[in-house]
Every structure is written in structure tokens, then in C-alpha cells.
Amino acid sequence: MLAVAVLAALVVGAMCTKVDLTVEKGSDAKKLVLNIKYTRPGDTLAEVELRQHGSEEWEPMTKKGNLWEVTSAKPLTGPMNFRFMSKGGMKNVFDEVIPTAFKIGTTYTPEYN
């Protein structure tokens, strides 16, 4: 019974979390710089990873100030997927969030499955 309650709390917590990813200056075909708005009361992002379309590998993004970035040797392939881990233990995966032809200044909001 406790396991069901814990699972229910995690699902409700995930659904109450809003995430917006804004592509920032410095982004290009091989580099993605994001301002990520993660709104879950009392929690902050600890890790962000990106998985390119067609890949099985999650690439860690680096936090620099309030921005998250990743650089690739080859052009990035979208739509790109993101995995977030928060300091409070919340984990979320969002599929097909940012397209290959992203635009600087555009905010992408993942949909919950």
C-alpha cells in the first residue's frame, strides 16, 4: 500500500511540474544553449541530459550560470529528448521537444505523456 502511495505522489508531482526550454544566443548546429525554467515549489534542477534523435546515448548538459549547454562534434539531430533530475529526487523524461531547425529566442514546452 505504501508503494502505491509513493508512486501516486511521484506521478502527481511530475504533473505539477512545468518546464520551459528557451534556446539562447550561442546556440548553433553543433551547440545548444538553453535557459530552462523548472517550476516545482521547493525544488531545483540537478542534472539535465539530452538524447538526439536516433541515438540511444544520453549526453550530459553542463550548467554555466543559469544556462545549460551541450556541444557536439557533429550537427545536433532533432527532435531532441531531455531527461531531468532534480535535487528533490524528481525525474522526468520529455521526448521530441526541440527540433533540428530550432530558433534562438524560441521557447519550447514539453508535453506530458
Side-chain angles (χ1 to χ4, degrees), residues 3-72:
V4 172
V6 170
L7 182 59
L10 288 174
V11 169
V12 170
M15 295 178 89
C16 294
T17 304
K18 184 169 181 348
V19 179
D20 293 316
L21 298 93
T22 302
V23 179
E24 296 292 333
K25 288 181 184 179
S27 297
D28 59 37
K30 295 181 180 180
K31 183 176 184 178
L32 185 63
V33 180
L34 297 175
N35 184 350
I36 301 174
K37 300 280 191 224
Y38 175 84
T39 54
R40 183 161 190 259
D43 203 1
T44 58
L45 287 176
E47 296 178 36
V48 178
E49 296 173 314
L50 171 144
R51 188 179 73 216
Q52 298 183 56
H53 181 73
S55 175
E56 301 270 331
E57 185 177 324
W58 287 97
E59 303 169 53
M61 297 188 75
T62 304
K63 186 169 185 180
K64 294 189 177 179
N66 65 342
L67 301 177
W68 292 86
E69 65 180 57
V70 65
T71 302
S72 176

